[in-house]
Amino acid sequence: MVIYGVYIVSKSGGLIFNHDHNVPKIETEKTFSYPLDIKLANENKKIIVEFGQRDGINVGHILYAINGIPVTGGQLDDGRDAMQVLENKENYPISLRFGRPKMTTNEKIFLASMFYPLFAIASQLSPEPKCSGIEVLEADTFKLHCFQTVTGVKMMVVAERMQAGMDILLKRIYELYADFALKNPFYSLEMPIRCELFDTNLKLVLEQIEKSGITNI
Amino acid sequence: MSRSSSRIDTKKVNSELVTLTYGALVAQMIKDLDNADDVSKQLERLGYNMGIRIVEDFLSKTGSGRCLDLKDTADKVQMAFKMYLGVQPNVANWSAAGDEFSFILDSNPLTELVELPDDLKNLKYCNIICGVLRGALEMVHLDVQSWIVQDQLKGDSNTEIRLKFIRRLEDSIPAGED
């Protein structure tokens, strides 16, 4: 029973809230000798594993650190270029830390606004009139549940495929939104929700649902 | 209150507290603006801003869907009156075209302890309700006009709030709802 994250998209399609819940952190550190038996590539200012999956280092993981020094945007924090360091034989044996790529806030905003037209297209593609748009989107590793309110706000939950009771959770999130975001006089509509009370109450509900199921939220 | 599963009851407060705070608000506005018409206008605006927020509360707690005709809307607003003011108004005086009707309140919690002084006879004391109605219905894509026809404060036997449907706000209806 895992809920990965909660997103709220405003009427005009902007991401106004996101919360990463229970995403397990996967990081592996290993010492390598020359030559490196994993094929790395520089993509979008990230160094990712292109080929050669082993010991928990999977294709698609990104390089986080070399010898404990963090790598950001293809560069080590001390200014050296990460790829050059890896090519130099004198630097070996070398310890590399790989991990699952994390989404940045910008990427989340981008994806949220991407979902908006998808939802609209789905409701227009429908062979039957009066289609509600996407309610559940299923993939092999997760299920996205979406609930659109009468006023046009979308609540989304990304959860494990087997997780039950998500429609009740979505309604509950809507109640929390009405209570703790909209009744906060300092929150202006359509703006990102930065209300601590909303955060804490949401976390409480999510924890409850994971621990004891949907019966008592 | 009318939550589909009645596990949590909405918090209730004494209606006198509402009457008094609202009274204090109006009195302060009269002091600040010293023009009854301006005060009425500001009250309506205030109500509008409350309406666009309170509607989400209503929808999330009742789980009600979209209205397909004005009678449906009238029923739901009636329910909302019960939820937020604790009074159940009568829906009456439908126009022939079915686009206009009145809420008739026998007792109005906002005016319970109030008498209007002579120099404020043209103040629309409960104009905030008209604003709330307009704001809340706008969020569910209905453009309406609302005004006070009868007022207990002005010697009428009950308070009558008229509501006129103008149009559906087609362009603001989100995908999947049209």
Side-chain angles (χ1 to χ4, degrees), chain A residues 148 174-175 182 187 217, chain B residues 3 7 53 56 61 175:
Chain A
Q148 175 165 262
Y174 186 26
E175 278 175 36
L182 293 178
Y187 170 70
I217 50 165
Chain B
R3 200 183 274 253
R7 61 211 146 80
R53 287 165 181 252
E56 305 273 13
K61 278 175 180 143

